[in-house]
Amino acid sequence: MELPNLPIRPLLGQIAATLTAHGSAVLVAPPGTGKTTLVPLALEGRVVVAEPRRLAARAAAARMASLLGEPVGQTVGYSVRGDRKTSKHTRIEVVTSGLLVRRLQHDPELAGIGTVLLDECHERHLDADLLLALLLDAREGLRPDLKLLATSATVAADRLARLLGDAPVIRVRARAFPVEVVHTPPARNERVEATVARATRQALSEVDGDVLVFLPGVAEIRRCAALIGDDVDVLPLHGRLAVTAQDDALRPGRRRRVVLATAIAESSLTVPGVRAVVDSGLSRVPRVDHRRGLSGLATVRVSAAVADQRAGRAGREAPGRVYRCWPAHEHSTLPRYPEPEIRTADLTRLALELACWGVPDGEGLGWWDAPPPGALDAGRSVLRALGALDANGGATDRGRRMADLGLHPRLARALLDGAAAVGARTAAEVVALLDDDRANSGVELSTRDADPREVRRLAAMVDGAGRGDPALVVALAYPERLARRRSPGSPVYLMAGGTAVELPPGSGLADAEWLAVAVADREAGRAHGRIRLAARADEELAVTAASSLLTTEDDVRWDGDVVANRLRKLGAITLSSKPLHDREAVRRALLEGLRVEGVGLLRWDADGVRTRERMAFLHRVIGEPWPSVDDEALLAVVDVGDARRKADLARISGEQVVRRLLPWPAATRFDELAPDRLEVPSGSRIRVDYSGPDPVLPVKVQEVFGWTETPRLADGRVPVVLHLLSPAGRPTAVTGDLASFWRTGYPQVRAELRGRYPKHRWPEDPMTAHPARR
C-alpha cells in the first residue's frame, strides 16, 4: 500500500514508536496533513478513531478505505448513531465520541482495542471532553495497556499532554501556501447571508478554483444559496445532510463550486479544489439559560484560532485568499480560542453518563475543564424529575435505559413514555423532529417533516401501538415549556417554567390557547422569548403530561387591597382560582398593606393625630419608658379584628392603636408631661402644636401679659416656642425666651401694632400688665 505523500507520512514511524514507549501522545498537526487518515493505518492492532461529528467519521472511514483500495466495512469501517458499516475483518473503526462513550459504559475495558485515537480535541466538544475523562479513568483502573493518541489542529496542547500523564507532544508542519486576507465588512443593517453572498461573488470574480464559505447554520446556508446565482454549483455541507449530499460536497465537480458549510468543514473534513474561503466570522454553539428554562444554539463570534483554521483551507493546494466578513480592526478583539462546550452547554446528558459511570459529581476524573457545579446540579435536577437518578445520585434502571437510547435524557423520556401513550411511531416521529428541530418547515410541528430513516430506528427501540397527539410527546420532553396564552388574542404565552414566549407572525398557531413548546430562544434586548417550534395542546393534555408540576397554593397578599385566593397551578400557569376564607392569612395581608402603604389607612381624626404627636415628642425628648410611635411600632400592636379588605381598615381608630403603646404606670403623667392644652394668663386653654421639632403655642400677645417665664414641658426639659399673634390672629413674633422678648422685642411690636389696633391695650410694661382675651 502506497500512502499519499502528506506532511505526516515521514513521522508515522515515530508516532507508532512513541505510543509503544509511552502509552500516550499528543499529535499537533494542522488540517490537511493526514493525521486523521494516515496515522490510524500506521498503528498496529485494533484501532478506534473517535471523531466529534458523524459526517467526519464517515468521511474519514471512506478516505482510509479508498487508500487501501477496499470498500468501507472491510479493514476500515465506521459506526455512528443510526448507521454502521463494519465486519469481522474491520481493524480500524471510526466512531463518534458520543457513541464511544456509550460503548465504554457497557465495556469499560474496551476489550480487544489496542489504541484509541481522539481526533480534533481542540474543538472541545462536550462528548469529546467526557470521553477523554472516562478513557483516562478506565486506563488507570482497568486498561493500563490501552494506548491513547490525542490529535489537535492548534498548538494549545500543553494541558492535554499533562492530562495524558505528561505525554510526548509530536508536532507536524504543514506545507502551507500563502493566504491573502481581505476584509469585507457588512454594510449598515446588512444581514449576514447578504454580506457573505456579496463576498462570495467577489471571490468568484477575483480567484480561480472553488470557494468554501463558512456560515453559522443551516438557515443561513439556505438563504445565502438563494443569493449567489446559478452560474456555479452551490453545494451545502452540514451534519444533517443525507450521506449522498455530503459526499457530493467532498468530491471535485465538473464546474466551479461554492460549498456553503457550517463549522464541520473547519478541520474534520477536506474539501478539494478550494482556492478561496469566505468566513462569516460566526459559529453556532450550544447555550443554556437555566433561569428562563431555555436552551439551544446561540450564534457567537468565532475565535482567532478558528478564524486561522478557516483561512488555512484556502492555502491547502495553492496560494489562496480569505474574505473575512468583519472589519480589520475587530480581528484583534476575537477571543483567542473557542469556549469549551462544557462551560456553557446543558449538562443533563453528561450528568446521566457520570451517574452511569458511578461518579455522579465527576469527582476524581481527569478533566480538561471540570463541569461547572451549578450547571451539573441543574442537570441532575432534571434527571431526578425524569426518574433517571436514585436518592444517592446513581443511575436507576430507567436512567440506564434512557442513556442506552443515545438521546438527550428529555428526548429519551419522551420516546419511552410517549410510545406507551401515543404509540411508538408517533413518539418516534416527534422525537426525531425534536432531535433535529431544523428539519421542521415552520413553527407548527409537523411529523411529515421527520426523517423516515431516523423514525424507523427510534420506533424499533420502544414498544407501543396506536397513534395519538404529537403534542403529548413534546410535553413529555419539555413539561415546563407547556404554555398558555396570557390574554385573549395575544401572541404572548406563559410557559409553566415561568418564562414568557411569543409566537411569530404567520405561525399558523395564533388561535391556539395552549401550546407544547419544543424550541424557544431569547435574543438580547427582547422582552419575551421567541417560539420556534410548537404543537397545539390543551389543558387536559398539559395536566396529563406535567402532573408533577401541579400544585395547589394559597395566594394571599396585598396588591392595593387584599387578594385571597386558592390557586390550582401548573408550574407558573394558574389553572383556576377560588376565594379563600382564611382569617389568619387575611390578617397577614392586611398588615402587609399597612406596612406597604402606611398606617394612614387607619381612621385618623384630629385627636388621634395629636395623641400620636404628643407621644412622639415624649419619646424624642425623654426616651424610655416612652416608646416610639412610628409605623413599625404601631404595626406591632394594631389589631385588624374582623377586617377583610382595605375599606375595613378605615374603621379602626388610629388613636386607639397609639394608646395601646402608653407605658404604665408612666402613662398617668401623659397629660402633665405633654399637655394637649396650656392655660395662659388670660385664662384661655390653648392647644399645643406638637407636629414640628419643638412644641409650639400660638397665642395672642394680650393674653400673655404678665407671663414672665416661658412655659416648659416634659418636666421642664423643653421650652415651648411661643408664636405671638396680633389681635387679628396674624403672627408678629416667635420666641422661646419670653422674658428676653418683653425686654427687647416687645417695644418694636408695640410701636408697630398700637396704631393699627388702637382699641387694644399696649402697655409699656407687659410683665406687670393684666392679660386680656379681647
Side-chain angles (χ1 to χ4, degrees), residues 214 279-283 300-302 310 325-326 334:
F214 287 100
D279 186 0
S280 68
L282 301 172
S283 183
V300 300
R301 300 169 71 202
V302 298
R310 292 179 173 184
C325 298
W326 61 89
L334 295 179

Side-chain angles (χ1 to χ4, degrees), residues 86-352:
T86 60
S87 68
K88 62 180 181 180
H89 305 293
T90 300
R91 183 178 72 84
I92 300 170
E93 185 180 9
V94 190
V95 301
T96 55
S97 302
L99 188 144
L100 188 52
V101 167
R102 291 276 77 238
R103 189 175 293 180
L104 195 61
Q105 292 277 18
H106 289 281
D107 179 15
E109 295 186 15
L110 290 182
I113 303 300
T115 304
V116 174
L117 189 155
L118 303 168
D119 202 17
E120 313 295 359
C121 288
H122 63 280
E123 294 189 5
R124 302 301 310 278
H125 289 284
L126 187 58
D127 282 344
D129 275 15
L130 173 63
L131 176 60
L132 175 61
L134 299 188
L135 283 171
L136 292 173
D137 196 45
R139 191 172 71 159
E140 182 179 357
L142 299 171
R143 283 291 310 277
D145 61 317
L146 182 66
K147 301 183 186 68
L148 296 180
L149 176 61
T151 78
S152 173
T154 66
V155 295
D158 294 341
R159 169 66 175 151
L160 187 55
R162 286 195 297 272
L163 276 175
L164 291 171
D166 293 322
V169 178
I170 302 170
R171 302 182 187 274
V172 180
R173 296 188 178 277
R175 293 191 302 267
F177 291 94
V179 175
E180 180 186 355
V181 176
V182 177
H183 286 273
T184 57
R188 182 184 295 273
N189 299 324
E190 188 176 38
R191 291 177 64 104
V192 58
E193 57 268 20
T195 306
V196 168
R198 176 165 53 82
T200 301
R201 289 191 293 270
Q202 182 178 344
L204 289 169
S205 66
E206 296 176 350
V207 181
D208 294 331
D210 294 343
V211 180
L212 175 60
V213 179
F214 287 100
L215 286 154
V218 175
E220 291 83 0
I221 286 176
R222 289 172 180 161
R223 291 194 293 265
C224 187
L227 298 174
I228 290 177
D230 55 6
D231 54 335
V232 293
D233 292 334
V234 179
L235 303 172
L237 180 58
H238 53 81
R240 299 293 183 174
L241 280 176
V243 174
T244 53
Q246 293 173 353
D247 291 343
D248 288 343
L250 299 177
R251 284 194 295 260
R254 287 175 293 186
R255 294 202 307 167
R256 289 189 74 185
R257 304 184 310 151
V258 173
V259 178
L260 305 178
T262 59
I264 196 169
E266 287 170 1
S267 55
S268 302
L269 301 171
T270 297
V271 181
V274 172
R275 297 292 185 273
V277 165
V278 175
D279 186 0
S280 68
L282 301 172
S283 183
R284 200 147 284 153
V285 296
R287 287 284 189 273
V288 62
D289 183 340
H290 294 293
R291 185 168 67 86
R292 295 185 175 88
L294 302 178
S295 60
L297 296 175
T299 303
V300 300
R301 300 169 71 202
V302 298
S303 66
V306 167
D308 289 344
Q309 280 184 44
R310 292 179 173 184
R313 291 292 185 172
R316 282 279 191 89
E317 300 170 355
R321 184 177 296 174
V322 59
Y323 297 82
R324 288 176 168 166
C325 298
W326 61 89
H329 67 269
E330 287 186 4
H331 191 76
S332 61
T333 68
L334 295 179
R336 189 176 179 189
Y337 295 108
E339 183 82 354
E341 277 188 10
I342 201 168
R343 294 182 189 168
T344 59
D346 173 15
L347 299 189
T348 305
R349 189 169 182 173
L350 179 136
L352 181 56

Side-chain angles (χ1 to χ4, degrees), residues 418-622:
V422 302
R425 176 76 184 185
T426 300
E429 288 171 342
V430 176
V431 169
L433 281 174
L434 298 183
D435 196 31
D436 178 17
D437 56 80
R438 293 169 294 185
N440 210 74
S441 55
V443 174
E444 185 171 7
L445 184 140
S446 171
T447 56
R448 294 189 302 271
D449 293 325
D451 177 8
R453 182 175 178 178
E454 181 68 359
V455 170
R456 289 193 297 271
R457 186 186 76 84
L458 293 173
M461 295 193 290
V462 290
D463 298 320
R467 292 189 68 85
D469 190 341
L472 180 62
V473 185
V474 177
L476 289 171
Y478 303 106
E480 72 285 355
R481 295 185 191 171
L482 281 159
R484 191 177 71 181
R485 191 193 304 278
R486 270 193 161 171
S487 58
S490 170
V492 178
Y493 289 71
L494 177 65
M495 297 199 298
T499 298
V501 289
E502 188 171 354
L503 268 177
S507 66
L509 293 168
D511 60 337
E513 180 68 16
W514 282 84
L515 292 174
V517 178
V519 182
D521 58 21
R522 182 177 180 273
E523 296 177 351
R526 289 178 63 95
H528 307 122
R530 179 173 52 180
I531 299 172
R532 292 193 175 276
L533 185 63
R536 295 171 183 272
D538 55 40
E539 184 172 324
E540 181 181 359
L541 180 148
V543 170
T544 300
S547 57
S548 62
L549 298 180
L550 282 173
T551 58
T552 299
E553 63 182 59
D554 293 342
D555 178 27
V556 185
R557 54 192 164 83
W558 183 268
D559 186 10
D561 205 335
V562 174
V563 175
N565 297 301
R566 177 154 290 171
L567 307 179
R568 183 169 181 255
K569 301 183 73 174
L570 185 78
I573 301 171
T574 299
L575 301 177
S576 62
S577 174
K578 296 180 180 178
L580 176 68
H581 304 287
D582 183 333
R583 290 186 62 179
E584 175 57 25
V586 170
R587 187 188 72 83
R588 291 195 300 268
L590 287 167
L591 290 176
E592 178 63 20
L594 288 169
R595 187 170 289 109
V596 171
E597 299 192 25
V599 294
L601 296 178
L602 304 177
R603 187 182 80 246
W604 291 97
D605 55 20
D607 288 341
V609 172
R610 288 177 52 74
T611 300
R612 186 182 187 187
E613 291 171 349
R614 291 162 65 197
M615 284 188 64
F617 164 70
L618 292 179
H619 174 70
R620 186 168 66 249
V621 301
I622 297 178

Side-chain angles (χ1 to χ4, degrees), residues 33-55:
T33 53
K35 67 180 185 301
T36 301
T37 52
L38 298 192
V39 172
L41 295 173
L43 300 179
E44 296 182 353
R46 288 188 62 195
V47 178
V48 174
V49 179
E51 291 288 343
R53 302 178 180 88
R54 283 178 278 181
L55 173 54

Side-chain angles (χ1 to χ4, degrees), residues 711-751:
R712 304 180 75 88
L713 306 179
D715 277 341
R717 290 177 174 84
V718 181
V720 174
V721 176
L722 298 172
H723 283 204
L724 299 172
L725 310 176
S726 72
R730 297 187 179 92
T732 62
V734 175
T735 182
D737 185 348
L738 190 56
S740 174
F741 171 74
W742 292 139
R743 291 192 304 272
T744 61
Y746 175 72
Q748 182 179 351
V749 170
R750 178 174 177 268

